[in-house]
Structures are given as C-alpha cells and as structure tokens.
Amino acid sequence: MADLAFLWHMHQPDYRHPDSGEFLLPWVFLHAIKDYTDMAAHLERHPSIRCTVNFVPVLLDQIEDYTEQFTSRKWRDPLLRIASQADPDQLTADDRGWLLDMGFRCHEPTMLEPFAPYRRLRDLASHLRNHDGHGLSYLSGTFYGDLATWYLLAWSGESLRRGGQVIPDLMAKGDNFSAAERQALLDELGAALSGLIPRYRALADSGQIELSCTPASHPLAPLLLDFHSAREALPDCPLPAAPEYPGGRSRLAEHIAAAQASHSRRFGRPASGLWPAEGALSTAVLKQIAEAGFAWTASSHGVLKHSAGNEARTTTPWLVPEDTPGNLTLFFRNERLSDLIGFEYAKWHGRDAAQHFMTELKSIHLQNADNLIPVFLDGENAWEYYPYNGWYFFTDLYGALEKNQAIRTVTLSEAAVAHHGRSPRLPKLIAGSWVYGTLSTWIGHPDKNRAWEMLCELKQCADRALDSGRLSPAESAEVRRRLANCESSDWFWWLGDYNSPQSVASFDSLFRENLKALYRLLHLPHSASLDHPISKGGGEPESGGTMRRAN
C-alpha cells in the first residue's frame, strides 16, 4: 500500500505596525475566514483523511490578536473598524480611501465577477476614477458600507456560506446592508475566527492530523546562519556587502525555541516535526533542528537533486548525513503533484482534477506498492483561484481517497516510522529551498541584498545595546521580539523587480517601519535611507493578499 502524506503549510507574516499594533493589511483575517476555516471543514467532513498541518507562530499570534479584537470591539484592523461603523456617512476620508484601495483586492474571476452587486460597486468606482477621480467624493456612506460588506462576503469560505444563515442571506440581499446586518456578519466571522485554533487542536487530539511548526517569525534559516550558503546551489549568486548576519545561530535557536513554546501552549504538546520557512535547509540548519530534538524536517525535490543527484527519489524518507546528530528523518516533496494542486487544477473541473490526481497516485503505486508520496504546499494561497474556493475539488479528492484501498493518507510522523527501513542516507545537503531548489528568492538581487545590509546594521546596534546592560529585562525581551519580526523571510521575498508594485511597496514600507521602530526602542537614530523605498519598482500586479508562491 502506498502512503500519501499531505502537508498543508499555513503562514502569513506580521502585518501589524510595530508601534501602534494596527493591522496595515488584512490578509491574516481574510485567509482565516476563507482558507483556514475551509481546510478544517474539509477534514471534519472526511474524518478518515490524515495529514500534517503546519502553523507558523507569527500567524497564530495574529489570529489570537483578532480574537481579542472581536472580544473587546477595539478594532486594530481598518476593515473591521469600517464594517462596524454604525453610520458609514461618518467614515473619515482616510478610511474611505483605505477601503477604495483594498476593497476590490481579490482574484476577480472567482471572487468578484460571480456577484453582480459587487461588480456594480467595482464598476461605479472605476467609472468615477476614470473621470479624474473627483466624483469619488459623491459616493455615499451606503456605498462604503456595502463595499466593506461585500469584501467580507467575497473572502468568506464555502464552509461558512454553506453552514450558516447570515452570509447566504446577505449575499442574496445584495445591497443596502443595514448596520444590524453588518454587525451580524461580524459576529459570525468573529465566532469562526475564535474557533480556529481549537478546531485544529481537536483534529490533532483525535489523531486525524499532525500539527507541526516553523521557527517563530519564519526566518530564512540558511541565510541567517551563512550568506555564502546561497552559493552552494548558485555559485555566482551576488551576496550582501556585510560578511554575515551577526549571531545568526543564536537567533535561529531562539526562533526554534519560541516555536516549540508556542506549539505547546496552543496545542498541548511540543511538535515532533518542523517545516523550515520556505523549505529552506542547509547543513548547519539541519544540525540545529536535530539538536532541538525534532523527529523530522522537510524540503523540496530540487534540494534533493542538488544534494544526491537527478535520480534521487522522493518516494522514501531520507536519513540525514552522517555528521548530523540525532535520528532526524528528512522528507522531500513531490514537486509535480504539489504544483498540480497549487497551480494547475484550479483551471479544471473539480471532479476531473481529483480523478487526474488519483491516476497520478496509481502510477506511483504501480511502480512500487510501498512508495511514499509527499505532497507539500501552502494551505491558503491557491484556493482563491479555484471555483468555490476548491470546495468541489476537495470533496471529490478526499472522497476518492477514502474509497481507495491501495492508497492511504498518513501524517509525516507516521510516514517516518512506516518507511524507516527503506530510507537511504543523504550523502550531503546542498543548501536550497522549495523555490527552484535555491535561495535566490531571498538574496542576490540588489534590493534583497540591500535589505540584508540594513538588517545587519541594525542587528549590530541591537547586540551592543543588549550587551551593555542599560536595557531592562522587559526592554531586552521587546528588542528580541521586534528583531524576530525584522528577520522574517517575507520582506526579502517581495523585494525585487518581478513582483506586483503594489505588494512590493507595501512590504518594503512595513519592513522599514519595523527597522525604524527597533531603532527607536534602542534610543538610536536611524539612517535617512530608511525613509526611502528600497525597491524602485515591480512587475505586473497580482490579485489577492499574497503572490501564488512557487510551491
């Protein structure tokens, strides 16, 4: 019997302003009500499907922040503040501008075009903008109240649309939503959000899923330890002027320890497995993961091919190189199957996609009945491109897997035990990630390298302050917390000339705000360069909250 091991990776960076705590972008909330709710619902509807779900602590922090907002009704997200406004005619000019900018950001073919009232709002705003924009001042509070409502409705998951009454009622009504109706919608969404972490814990407690973790703020671990690791897969990769990130080993250890503490607090036990941010591994990172006591970690087939040759297969777990301590098991994702789900099947009818996937699984099973099939991808970014947020695809896929006697679904911890006797040993590990098997998405471009240099300069200042003894214990803890956010891989991902200019500008600005806030905390002036964008441009705009990553 072949074993199919899904890993669904859930991650969003910290979108909160480092000083005010206000959410500058709403993507955590929107993915929570659409994707995290639906992914839990698919599993609850199909209790014999087993898988691994990976949560990054910085995402869980923000989910809990939103839960507190719904409890206190002290809104730190402009979207929720606008939607809760009893009289939208009283909205400030800033809130109106924010909603006009954000309120149509979605994948339009599946999330806007199917809804005539939402299209009407879009077309009206576009018409006024095309007439030099002055006509926007004539838009009434009703327009803004309806736009906030439709943005929330468009991002609501299928499980919420099918399992409640408020959302389908409002979608059927279409427009002129009252304050009471908007409040009812917020109540329903707030209840869904507050139930998320308990739902996944219950699935884990039942044994249906395994919950794994990622270092706390999603740092690109190989580069935190050694910039030169980028040249293992790309020998000509340009590097930052700074020779290294100061104290990277201790910083990664702190991220890993914080991840385990988060996991134990929220889910009742430490994680057995660790998915490194972006599947990025190096020999030094592998050793730190093993020293931290994890049983397994994982990366991509691209890294495996660079490390063990083009013939190396993902159909078994691998033993780590001889010089790695402990009994760490290493998995490498099947890139073809993972990318079919992530990028291709959204264009197919759900039943056809599920049948095609099952045919691919059968082919691998026929090669060897004991094969392992590791399918790892984001559990949040692909579904907006699917009709009905992938509802029918998952219904047909999980349903077919439940009936198939030749393929069983397993968690990665189960796979590590079941396939241990078949595991070859990795001769060496060439540093890379699940994007092209290299680290080029986070280093090498002039903008990315400049961001690293800025972070290195700040880290040296932070180290001197922490070593000086002039900071109180509380101040030292806050410095480390903010430093962790500055070390997130996402800032470096977005910089460059191939991403949406809108997204590049947002992430560029938030990265610099985090750096400046830490300088203020250290009572130090920041360089004037932090007041100016790092990136000078971007590629074609992307819809939605995050780019459809190459995973």
Side-chain angles (χ1 to χ4, degrees), residues 340-355:
L340 280 171
I341 296 175
F343 301 109
E344 179 62 30
Y345 285 155
K347 308 166 193 171
W348 296 35
H349 187 283
R351 185 177 297 109
D352 293 340
Q355 289 176 349

Side-chain angles (χ1 to χ4, degrees), residues 29 32 36 68 88 157 170 217 238 267 309 356-357 450 483 495 538 548:
F29 179 71
Y36 309 146
E68 194 281 326
L170 295 182
S217 291
F267 301 121
H356 183 267
F357 190 84
R450 179 62 187 132
L483 188 60
L495 292 171
R548 293 187 68 197

Side-chain angles (χ1 to χ4, degrees), residues 178-504:
S178 68
E181 288 169 328
R182 283 185 276 109
Q183 188 57 58
L185 174 60
L186 288 174
D187 289 344
E188 187 146 313
L189 298 179
L193 199 83
S194 64
L196 267 180
I197 294 175
R199 285 175 78 182
Y200 280 98
R201 178 168 178 167
L203 286 165
D205 288 345
S206 74
Q208 184 179 352
I209 69 171
E210 175 182 4
L211 290 168
S212 60
C213 67
T214 294
S217 291
H218 206 263
L220 209 289
L223 298 180
L224 216 60
L225 301 187
D226 183 3
F227 290 154
H228 287 83
S229 63
R231 289 184 170 170
E232 294 181 22
L234 285 177
D236 297 327
C237 179
L239 299 181
E244 64 180 0
Y245 184 68
R249 178 179 170 80
S250 62
R251 292 300 306 144
L252 179 57
E254 195 163 321
H255 279 277
I256 291 173
Q260 278 292 36
S262 161
H263 204 87
S264 295
R265 176 172 67 84
R266 283 153 169 151
F267 301 121
R269 62 177 72 97
S272 295
L274 180 139
W275 171 257
E278 312 295 358
L281 287 175
S282 66
T283 297
V285 172
L286 204 59
K287 289 180 178 179
Q288 282 200 238
I289 294 172
E291 289 167 355
F294 287 94
W296 62 261
T297 190
S299 188
S300 73
H301 193 195
V303 172
L304 176 61
K305 288 189 291 186
H306 288 159
S307 301
N310 289 335
E311 301 306 312
R313 304 290 299 278
T314 65
T315 48
T316 65
W318 286 71
L319 303 178
V320 293
E322 289 283 0
D323 60 350
T324 302
N327 296 309
L328 191 65
T329 298
L330 188 52
F331 296 96
F332 296 97
R333 72 195 283 263
N334 182 307
E335 292 182 350
R336 171 174 164 73
L337 291 180
S338 302
D339 288 346
L340 280 171
I341 296 175
F343 301 109
E344 179 62 30
Y345 285 155
K347 308 166 193 171
W348 296 35
H349 187 283
R351 185 177 297 109
D352 293 340
Q355 289 176 349
H356 183 267
F357 190 84
M358 295 301 296
T359 300
E360 294 288 315
L361 296 182
K362 181 179 179 181
S363 174
I364 296 173
H365 174 256
L366 290 175
Q367 295 169 18
N368 185 328
D370 295 325
N371 271 339
L372 172 67
I373 309 166
V375 176
F376 309 159
L377 67 154
D378 279 1
E380 59 203 355
N381 289 328
W383 317 130
E384 64 203 70
Y385 298 88
Y386 280 70
Y388 300 96
N389 207 44
W391 183 267
Y392 292 106
F393 169 70
F394 276 103
T395 297
D396 290 324
L397 176 60
Y398 281 177
L401 287 168
E402 285 181 313
K403 297 173 184 176
N404 192 289
Q405 300 300 309
I407 308 290
R408 68 174 179 178
T409 55
V410 296
T411 69
L412 285 173
S413 284
E414 291 170 339
V417 173
H419 294 266
H420 179 75
R422 303 175 54 239
S423 300
R425 185 168 295 281
L426 198 66
K428 61 182 178 180
L429 180 66
I430 298 298
S433 74
W434 68 352
V435 186
Y436 315 126
T438 75
L439 303 177
S440 61
T441 300
W442 302 273
I443 198 168
H445 186 281
D447 295 344
K448 300 176 191 291
N449 287 351
R450 179 62 187 132
W452 278 111
E453 290 159 9
M454 290 175 167
L455 182 55
C456 288
E457 293 166 7
L458 175 57
K459 178 60 162 54
Q460 290 173 340
C461 293
D463 285 346
R464 286 192 290 269
L466 291 167
D467 292 341
S468 70
R470 64 181 174 84
L471 299 178
S472 69
E475 288 175 326
S476 295
E478 183 64 9
V479 167
R480 290 189 173 91
R481 186 189 70 80
R482 294 197 184 194
L483 188 60
N485 279 344
C486 294
E487 292 164 343
S488 170
S489 71
D490 296 83
W491 317 126
F492 307 96
W493 168 287
W494 286 101
L495 292 171
D497 53 8
Y498 49 81
N499 282 322
S500 151
Q502 191 175 44
S503 294
V504 170

Side-chain angles (χ1 to χ4, degrees), residues 147-173:
L147 177 54
T149 304
W150 264 108
Y151 198 46
L152 294 171
L153 293 174
W155 277 88
S156 296
E158 281 298 307
S159 57
L160 296 182
R161 295 177 184 179
R162 294 163 187 261
Q165 193 63 45
V166 173
I167 291 174
D169 281 352
L170 295 182
M171 296 180 87
K173 180 180 181 182

